[in-house]
Amino acid sequence: RRGRMTSTPTMTADFARPQSMSPADLDDVERIEKAVYAFPWTRKNFADSISSGYSAWVVRDAEVMLGYCVLMMVLDEGHLLNISVAKGAQGKGVGRFLLDWTEKVAVSLGARTVLLEVRPSNPVAQGFYERHRYERIGVRRNYYPAPDGREDAIVMRKTFMAGEHQVNGSARQAGRGAL
């Protein structure tokens, strides 16, 4: 069911709560991925994520995809594998909305922490995560492909306090349904 997103006050677009990513979404996902990354995930990466039961979500404004995210759970830890926002939707709260949704789903599935990797060459993303209380905890050497070979990844983690990100039934059900 689609409805007006009201919990993000600076959001300028009217869009529905995230929907589970399906194979039918992959054309739009692939289009956004290729537009926002020099070294994008492949369509098969997303298809494998769906078939592996990862928590994968898309958000749309009517029929236009604005962004998506992929979360893998391992015991009590969520690993944010991919979060992307279409170029035309960047800076409008979509990324914040997706990150918040992903955290709520992770917590509903028992996560105490969420980990992610970010490129050192992407200070905008680093700042975004730092503003959302992610802390740098390490480096993965030669993690990403880069024009001159490989680039390290900064590993970041957010730890949730007891009671943080209490979720309503719909987010709890959505999280369970996606795995």
Side-chain angles (χ1 to χ4, degrees):
R1 195 178 343 173
R2 296 187 184 228
R4 185 174 178 89
M5 173 57 204
T6 58
S7 65
T8 307
T10 59
M11 186 65 218
T12 59
D14 182 22
F15 57 91
R17 81 171 184 69
Q19 301 294 310
S20 292
M21 186 184 293
S22 74
D25 294 311
L26 295 183
D27 287 343
D28 289 336
V29 168
E30 186 177 32
R31 179 185 46 75
I32 292 170
E33 185 77 2
K34 287 180 177 178
V36 298
Y37 292 117
F39 297 92
W41 272 25
T42 66
R43 182 185 192 92
K44 185 173 180 345
N45 291 140
F46 289 102
D48 289 348
S49 294
I50 293 168
S51 67
S52 294
Y54 295 169
S55 187
W57 301 92
V58 299
V59 66
R60 296 180 181 277
D61 176 8
E63 295 304 313
V64 177
M65 186 177 293
L66 302 175
Y68 50 86
C69 54
V70 179
L71 174 76
M72 176 180 71
M73 291 295 300
V74 178
L75 302 174
D76 64 350
E77 183 174 273
H79 189 162
L80 182 56
L81 301 175
N82 192 318
I83 183 168
S84 300
V85 175
K87 284 194 176 204
Q90 292 177 1
K92 298 179 181 175
V94 176
R96 181 177 60 240
F97 175 74
L98 278 168
L99 184 62
D100 186 60
W101 175 263
T102 301
E103 291 172 356
K104 286 177 182 176
V105 169
V107 168
S108 78
L109 295 171
R112 294 182 185 177
T113 63
V114 170
L115 285 177
L116 58 86
E117 292 85 15
V118 62
R119 289 178 182 265
S121 63
N122 190 346
V124 172
Q126 291 173 51
F128 172 78
Y129 295 124
E130 288 168 351
R131 284 190 303 280
H132 292 88
R133 298 186 8 246
Y134 282 79
E135 299 175 317
R136 296 170 189 234
I137 61 165
V139 173
R140 296 191 200 280
R141 298 282 176 220
N142 299 315
Y143 186 78
Y144 290 113
D148 297 329
R150 305 293 294 179
E151 180 177 7
D152 294 344
I154 298 168
V155 181
M156 301 183 83
R157 176 180 63 205
K158 182 173 184 176
T159 302
F160 301 102
M161 307 305 269
E164 186 174 8
H165 274 308
Q166 291 294 324
V167 295
N168 61 26
S170 64
R172 191 174 296 112
Q173 288 174 338
R176 287 192 188 119
L179 294 175

